[in-house]
Amino acid sequence: MTEFISSFWFNQLLPPWKSDGARGWVFVIEVPHEDVQGYLDREFNLAAPDRAPYYYEAFPGRTFGILRFIDHPCFYSGKATEEGRNRIQHKELTWTFPAYRHPVTKDNLVHRDTAVVWIQPFSFDNNSYFMFSSREVLGNETQMAVIDSQEAMGGPGLRVDVGVQGMRKFKPSATSHKIGAFAIEVDNKAKTEDGQKIIESSPDLDRFIGTLSGSVNFAPPPEAEGTLQTGGVSPFAVFQGAIQDTVKQFRDVFDWDVAAYRALVSSRLRYTDVKDPKFYDGKYIDIRLMWSDSLKETFTSFFSVEAPESPPEQEDAVPGYGGGWGDNGIGYPLGKELPKDDLIDWQMPSVKLDVALAISFTANAEISAEGTLFTYGHDGTHAG
Amino acid sequence: MNGAHGQIPYTQSAASLDVPPPYHFPGVNVNTFIWEMDVSLIKHYCDTYLNIGTPEERGYTYRPAVFWPYATLLVLQYPVMISAAVGTDMPHEVPYCDRGVISQTEVFIALPVVRYGRGPLGLLTESALEWALPFIVVGNPMSCVCGREMLGLGKLLAGIECGQSTYPRSFRTHMTLPGWANDKPDTMQENLTILDITTGPTLPTFRKHSPSVESLATALSSRDMGWLMGQMQSVSNMIDQASMEMIPTEMRTIGLKQYRDAADPNRAVYQALTSCRSHYSNIRNFEFYDEKDVTIEFNDEGSFHELLNLFFRLPKEPTGEKIKVDAQAAFKFEADIDFDQMRIIRNVPIQDRFGHYVTEGSEDLASPWFRPWRGFFAGRKGR
């Protein structure tokens, strides 16, 4: 076995990761089927150069994903260490959607032994130590961000502001600075007791929520088989936690287009001790995508939103300007009160994302690495 | 690259943070501090992170550059960082070179190491002076990700404040890193101060702390020596221009690029020694500080102890005190820096948990001087 040579700078937080008292908000968003399948084909079903023995398929019918905001006040590695250096706090905003993972034989035949897995195309995190761990151990596309959140306290139910390093407009003279990425507000009116009605209004949404709730143990235990619509997949498999598959890849030092390492990696997310789940009606939830050249490809690829009307050309703001909600539709979109971190530049238009419904909860979470499903370039062998 | 089917493509996703090389950084403000270092610590670093496997397996040995037993700490303020990658494989995308620029601050400690090739021929054609960077932090997350994932540099994201200290033409920097104040199991990570640097004004100055016979910088502070330093800058530029940059002012870095297995994180699934060149040109506004006016303090607290052990002989446990460094020289200058010539020195063969080789090793050890001639004599070696 080739040992990883430990060092101060590559001492990542190693899985399994545990989170005590994580506060979660899950926003259910409908996305076009072809966008989801397109992403799976580009990243997971690609011959790179050999094909993995799996075929990833988007859920049929209307397709949903979740934008998930989690505040981790106490996050740590479950790998026993004698020393400290283990506890961190971080907040994350991630985009995930479920898909079928079909095993494929050498004869290119698809097995029926299908699993439901979650795919996470991108995430934002406000802790650099966790960002490196997430990227370098599991291969997640995690990006460093400023994440400011406020919950309840008489105002809106939730407000989350996310800023990242980027440029509003690509041009040779532009300078990278902190720009707004997401602005989320859940109004107090959004809380509803009729969550079940919203879910039952669509069979596709019903099935999606069945998969989701099975993953986080909102639903009854496995013996209640048959009470959930889970797309023909064994609810028992779903109840073991959410399996998340990732393409873990790193560039070659010399050739930009070549990967030095590329593999399919599987991890598992389990929520336990789920408390206080609440439903929220999507029509009272305002999620804004702040439209910049740095992020528009992400937004159009995963949410299929259209660009806002071309705003008047503006000079790059000096970092430090928060920017109010102007008459021309440019600026911080969620009310006149600016978010706490006024170093984020919000001087750009935004696009509203439709939300089907949202769920909030408090839980303990555990994320474990299940293994490497397939390593590319090893003559088709599994490298465990 | 790995395996029989050809190269493994990297799929560029919309969320990718990578910015393609080569990079051009004009007008970089560089503050440099040099102190004497225990050579045995540099040897320990070489043996741990560079001399992987037996001498027969790897074909080289890294050792400290005994003729330069110093650590060099650089604080670089990049007003503009440009990706000079003109082409793009995504025709609908704006080329990286036209997207704009990044500005950031970087702090690193460089240790000179010499790679000695094996045998008389290897000693001649495969030896090279390179710079290890056991400590490198930046203020920009994109720079961090590129440095770590592409080059294998252990870049960490730090809070770095730079500015003028008490006197005009002086300098200070204050640096924080995420860390743990102690090793108690319940201690929460926080941003802790790891480094503080302050200087007096650049020379000449009325603040004469050092007897002229003891200080290199004060010796150089005379009008005659100041003139000489100005001439040296011109000479440096002249060398670059007259030689058409065949004899550039450059630094080749060496680093260990490695990735963990997801489920068995003590196992490496990729391991390679990688190198790149940073080329300093158009060096200007070179000024010395009086090194006796320089204060460099590292914070030997909690989790930082492991890092500081690489540079200083410390007790087993963190002292919780400041480690004060006596600078041997301190100076500042401006330069244009180009970052290019990324390459793999050695791909370490990778074994799975059963001891079977899953990827082959390879080397590309040719010295820089020998590189243009190598094609006449030998191809790339594989094993």
Side-chain angles (χ1 to χ4, degrees):
Chain A
M1 175 177 111
T2 305
E3 281 190 23
F4 186 89
I5 299 170
S6 181
S7 63
F8 175 83
W9 46 94
F10 283 113
N11 277 350
Q12 294 101 335
L13 194 72
L14 299 179
W17 297 319
K18 297 188 174 188
S19 179
D20 292 346
R23 179 68 180 151
W25 287 75
V26 168
F27 302 96
V28 179
I29 292 160
E30 183 172 357
V31 285
H33 178 275
E34 60 269 23
D35 285 3
V36 173
Q37 189 60 52
Y39 177 77
L40 293 172
D41 289 343
R42 282 196 307 277
E43 297 283 335
F44 286 82
N45 297 330
L46 182 76
D50 37 358
R51 286 190 187 277
Y54 301 101
Y55 178 73
Y56 290 82
E57 184 187 19
F59 277 19
R62 294 171 65 195
T63 318
F64 296 88
I66 56 172
L67 195 62
R68 185 178 61 195
F69 167 69
I70 310 276
D71 184 352
H72 300 278
C74 183
F75 193 90
Y76 54 98
S77 168
K79 223 171 176 53
T81 55
E82 292 179 8
E83 299 173 331
R85 308 182 201 181
N86 198 18
R87 292 191 185 240
I88 66 169
Q89 295 178 321
H90 73 115
K91 297 177 183 180
E92 59 177 334
L93 182 75
T94 59
W95 170 242
T96 61
F97 56 79
Y100 293 129
R101 184 181 70 200
H102 305 290
V104 176
T105 68
K106 284 182 181 172
D107 303 319
N108 208 27
L109 299 172
V110 174
H111 276 297
R112 295 307 303 162
D113 189 14
T114 294
V116 172
V117 297
W118 290 81
I119 308 294
Q120 181 179 296
F122 67 81
S123 71
F124 296 95
D125 203 284
N126 70 345
N127 184 306
S128 62
Y129 184 63
F130 181 73
M131 174 186 73
F132 297 140
S133 305
S134 174
R135 293 181 68 93
E136 294 164 13
V137 180
L138 293 186
N140 290 322
E141 280 281 7
T142 305
Q143 189 170 345
M144 190 68 193
V146 175
I147 302 179
D148 183 33
S149 64
Q150 294 171 289
E151 190 167 346
M153 292 187 297
L158 174 74
R159 190 153 106 177
V160 182
D161 297 305
V162 180
V164 298
Q165 280 284 334
M167 289 121 175
R168 270 197 278 127
K169 194 85 183 159
F170 285 151
K171 55 186 176 184
S173 61
T175 301
S176 175
H177 60 288
K178 257 186 250 170
I179 56 171
F182 289 83
I184 300 172
E185 187 175 74
V186 180
D187 194 282
N188 270 343
K189 291 194 293 264
K191 202 164 94 179
T192 178
E193 304 300 323
D194 291 334
Q196 201 59 35
K197 275 190 189 168
I198 299 171
I199 293 167
E200 287 169 0
S201 64
S202 156
D204 296 312
L205 182 60
D206 192 10
R207 181 188 54 185
F208 175 81
I209 295 297
T211 304
L212 174 65
S213 58
S215 302
V216 296
N217 275 349
F218 286 143
E223 52 268 27
E225 190 168 354
T227 59
L228 289 173
Q229 299 294 316
T230 53
V233 178
S234 162
F236 181 76
V238 174
F239 272 102
Q240 302 311 301
I243 301 169
Q244 181 182 303
D245 284 3
T246 312
V247 175
K248 178 177 176 178
Q249 57 172 357
F250 301 104
R251 289 188 197 275
D252 180 63
V253 70
F254 178 72
D255 191 336
W256 168 257
D257 297 317
V258 170
Y261 175 79
R262 183 184 169 99
L264 293 179
V265 169
S266 190
S267 56
R268 192 181 292 269
L269 167 63
R270 292 182 186 88
Y271 286 108
T272 55
D273 200 15
V274 178
K275 291 175 187 157
D276 199 22
K278 289 190 174 69
F279 283 97
Y280 300 85
D281 191 338
K283 63 175 178 275
Y284 298 108
I285 296 169
D286 200 347
I287 295 182
R288 299 298 184 105
L289 311 177
M290 303 306 298
W291 203 262
S292 64
D293 277 358
S294 285
L295 287 170
K296 69 180 182 187
E297 190 196 345
T298 299
F299 296 155
T300 52
S301 298
F302 300 118
F303 302 120
S304 196
V305 288
E306 289 187 9
E309 281 187 25
S310 184
E313 186 71 20
Q314 295 203 352
E315 291 303 312
D316 276 337
V318 177
Y321 290 153
W325 178 233
D327 294 334
N328 56 1
I330 292 174
Y332 185 70
L334 303 178
K336 288 182 179 173
E337 188 192 345
L338 289 174
K340 269 198 265 176
D341 190 340
D342 61 357
L343 291 176
I344 297 174
D345 173 11
W346 296 97
Q347 291 290 330
M348 63 196 90
S350 61
V351 175
K352 191 171 187 297
L353 204 54
D354 290 330
V355 179
L357 84 158
I359 305 166
S360 70
F361 60 94
T362 304
N364 297 333
E366 178 174 330
I367 301 135
S368 56
E370 294 291 293
T372 302
L373 297 173
F374 182 76
T375 306
Y376 291 90
H378 288 179
D379 300 331
T381 57
H382 297 242
Chain B
M1 164 133 196
N2 295 331
H5 297 291
Q7 293 188 321
I8 305 168
Y10 184 97
T11 47
Q12 174 78 24
S13 79
S16 173
L17 290 178
D18 297 339
V19 178
Y23 309 114
H24 176 59
F25 311 139
V28 183
N29 197 329
V30 185
N31 280 274
T32 307
F33 306 92
I34 296 171
W35 71 84
E36 195 167 355
M37 200 170 146
D38 184 337
V39 172
S40 67
L41 293 173
I42 304 177
K43 182 176 183 304
H44 177 72
Y45 177 87
C46 290
D47 289 342
T48 307
Y49 299 107
L50 304 177
N51 295 331
I52 301 168
T54 64
E56 291 74 24
E57 286 170 336
R58 62 178 184 260
Y60 63 83
T61 298
Y62 277 93
R63 292 191 192 128
V66 288
F67 51 84
W68 187 254
Y70 297 101
T72 305
L73 187 154
L74 291 99
V75 182
L76 300 100
Q77 293 167 279
Y78 299 89
V80 171
M81 303 174 81
I82 303 168
S83 165
V86 177
T88 172
D89 286 343
M90 295 172 288
H92 59 289
E93 293 274 327
V94 178
Y96 276 92
C97 61
D98 292 338
R99 291 185 176 197
V101 299
I102 295 172
S103 67
Q104 75 156 353
T105 304
E106 179 177 66
V107 180
F108 65 81
I109 298 175
L111 306 177
V113 293
V114 178
R115 168 163 45 91
Y116 295 95
R118 275 177 64 79
L121 187 61
L123 201 60
L124 185 66
T125 62
E126 297 181 344
S127 296
L129 172 66
E130 289 164 346
W131 293 80
L133 309 180
F135 176 79
I136 178 166
V137 299
V138 293
N140 185 292
M142 281 190 277
S143 166
C144 256
V145 168
C146 283
R148 290 175 72 92
E149 296 180 8
M150 287 177 65
L151 294 171
L153 296 173
K155 281 187 180 181
L156 297 172
L157 189 64
I160 308 169
E161 295 170 20
C162 293
Q164 183 176 283
S165 186
T166 309
Y167 297 96
R169 305 193 336 268
S170 63
F171 175 76
R172 68 166 183 85
T173 188
H174 174 75
M175 205 178 89
T176 59
L177 263 183
W180 289 267
N182 57 59
D183 279 345
K184 292 175 186 164
D186 292 341
T187 302
M188 191 62 78
Q189 185 194 50
E190 57 187 318
N191 277 328
L192 301 171
T193 297
I194 184 169
L195 173 66
D196 276 302
I197 302 172
T198 59
T199 77
T202 52
L203 297 173
T205 171
F206 68 94
R207 289 171 49 80
K208 298 241 176 184
H209 274 187
S210 312
S212 57
V213 291
E214 289 183 10
S215 166
L216 170 66
T218 43
L220 292 170
S221 67
S222 70
R223 182 181 297 175
D224 289 346
M225 292 303 282
W227 176 84
L228 180 62
M229 288 308 300
Q231 293 308 301
M232 283 172 68
Q233 294 167 51
S234 303
V235 168
S236 167
N237 288 338
M238 190 187 72
I239 289 171
D240 283 356
Q241 290 158 13
S243 67
M244 298 180 75
E245 304 197 0
M246 290 295 285
I247 314 169
T249 312
E250 66 180 26
M251 174 187 269
R252 286 178 193 276
T253 63
I254 182 73
L256 173 60
K257 175 176 173 176
Q258 56 176 349
Y259 308 122
R260 292 180 191 274
D261 181 60
D264 182 2
N266 293 323
R267 186 169 88 83
V269 291
Y270 179 86
Q271 220 167 48
L273 291 187
T274 58
S275 170
C276 58
R277 183 184 74 151
S278 51
H279 173 203
Y280 291 65
S281 61
N282 196 17
I283 295 170
R284 54 201 181 270
N285 299 332
F286 196 107
E287 292 179 272
F288 272 104
Y289 298 107
D290 181 346
E291 65 270 17
K292 302 295 181 190
D293 259 351
V294 173
T295 308
I296 302 172
E297 292 181 336
F298 289 94
N299 188 14
D300 182 22
E301 183 179 14
S303 54
F304 298 153
H305 187 71
E306 181 187 349
L307 173 68
L308 298 178
N309 257 323
L310 290 171
F311 304 103
F312 307 104
R313 290 225 167 266
L314 299 174
K316 194 176 174 190
E317 299 296 325
T319 60
E321 295 176 0
K322 308 277 186 190
I323 299 171
K324 295 187 178 177
V325 175
D326 288 328
Q328 306 290 311
F331 50 87
K332 61 180 275 195
F333 58 92
E334 274 181 62
D336 299 338
I337 302 177
D338 288 277
F339 209 69
D340 54 16
Q341 294 189 6
M342 288 78 168
R343 66 188 181 91
I344 294 171
I345 300 292
R346 181 187 177 217
N347 257 322
V348 178
I350 297 295
Q351 291 177 311
D352 65 14
R353 68 183 72 163
F354 308 109
H356 302 138
Y357 283 98
V358 290
T359 56
E360 295 177 341
S362 61
E363 295 90 27
D364 184 5
L365 300 174
S367 304
W369 76 266
F370 182 62
R371 186 156 290 277
W373 303 99
R374 184 186 55 167
F376 287 109
F377 302 105
R380 186 169 168 142
K381 286 193 290 181
R383 69 169 60 179

